Amino acid sequence: MKKLIIAIAVLVLAGCSTPREPQLTIAPSPASSNQQQVNNLPVVVKSKDLRTAQFVAVIDSGRSNVKPLHASQNLRVVLEDTLSRQLSSQGFRVVANGPGVLRLDILDALVRVKHTVFKHDMEASVQLQLVAESPEGRFVKRYTGKSTQSGVSSASPDDIELALNNLLEAVLQDIADDEQLLDHMKAHF
């Protein structure tokens, strides 16, 4: 009986000590604006994560060995905060309630990594949708980005983080530079 209890304890402890998959730190920087484009215009920022799966990377090592990697923090919260800081740098005043609402929908944010014995290929894709609504009208636009890169040996979690953060920053820069969106917000918020 003692041997059985010891065997069970060893199995339980071995199960607790198995390494976990690393979590990725997704923290893109907001696009910076050299000059304020509006003067203290209030905007409510909201967000929705409409992705079908919550992981941010998939590593395919062949032979049906596919592992998803998750972000260490909630991607929706990170992107909403980053967009809010970006809008503040453009001269908007982010408020809790108001007539003008800018909603960020996350449609896709994923890095696909394929490992072989001697190299890796990474393909990152991001698709964000902005919905600007006010009593005077609605504006909807999608922003997409794709990047690919290859390297010798396997991709590290740092490589995957860098690929996704860089692509998110490029898409956020597209949002900051979008004159159509800015004109709509100026006219209707």
Side-chain angles (χ1 to χ4, degrees):
M1 187 68 165
K2 283 185 179 180
K3 289 182 180 180
L4 179 61
I5 292 173
I6 291 173
I8 291 173
V10 168
L11 285 174
V12 168
L13 290 174
C16 293
S17 67
T18 56
R20 301 180 114 195
E21 291 301 322
Q23 290 190 327
L24 304 175
T25 302
I26 307 304
S29 300
S32 58
S33 181
N34 295 338
Q35 60 183 8
Q36 288 195 345
Q37 297 160 328
V38 296
N39 188 14
N40 214 23
L41 190 63
V43 62
V44 178
V45 178
K46 295 184 177 184
S47 60
K48 287 185 180 179
D49 192 344
L50 302 175
R51 298 175 297 152
T52 55
Q54 298 305 302
F55 49 83
V56 293
V58 175
I59 299 175
D60 183 355
S61 299
R63 295 191 181 205
S64 299
N65 187 9
V66 178
K67 292 187 287 189
L69 295 179
H70 295 270
S72 59
Q73 64 281 34
N74 186 313
L75 183 64
R76 181 194 63 77
V77 173
V78 168
L79 289 178
E80 181 178 320
D81 177 61
T82 304
L83 181 63
S84 295
R85 289 185 290 140
Q86 180 171 307
L87 290 167
S88 293
S89 77
Q90 291 177 292
F92 288 95
R93 183 171 39 96
V94 179
V95 295
N97 293 312
V101 177
L102 184 64
R103 190 184 76 226
L104 170 68
D105 296 335
I106 305 169
L107 305 175
D108 184 29
L110 185 65
V111 179
R112 292 171 187 82
V113 182
K114 288 193 179 196
H115 281 245
T116 62
V117 176
F118 300 111
K119 69 174 193 155
H120 71 270
D121 294 314
M122 276 196 297
E123 179 184 299
S125 60
V126 168
Q127 186 174 34
L128 304 177
Q129 176 175 275
L130 286 182
V131 180
E133 289 186 279
S134 69
E136 288 93 40
R138 180 181 174 144
F139 177 86
V140 179
K141 190 165 183 180
R142 288 188 180 182
Y143 303 85
T144 60
K146 288 188 183 281
S147 70
T148 57
Q149 60 188 83
S150 298
V152 180
S153 73
S154 56
S156 71
D158 290 342
D159 295 333
I160 298 168
E161 287 175 1
L162 185 63
L164 187 54
N165 282 323
N166 285 345
L167 189 56
L168 284 167
E169 288 173 4
V171 172
L172 287 167
Q173 186 64 55
D174 288 346
I175 293 170
D177 295 339
D178 188 347
E179 291 295 327
Q180 260 187 322
L181 174 64
L182 187 62
D183 290 345
H184 177 83
M185 292 172 73
K186 284 179 182 177
H188 300 291
F189 283 18

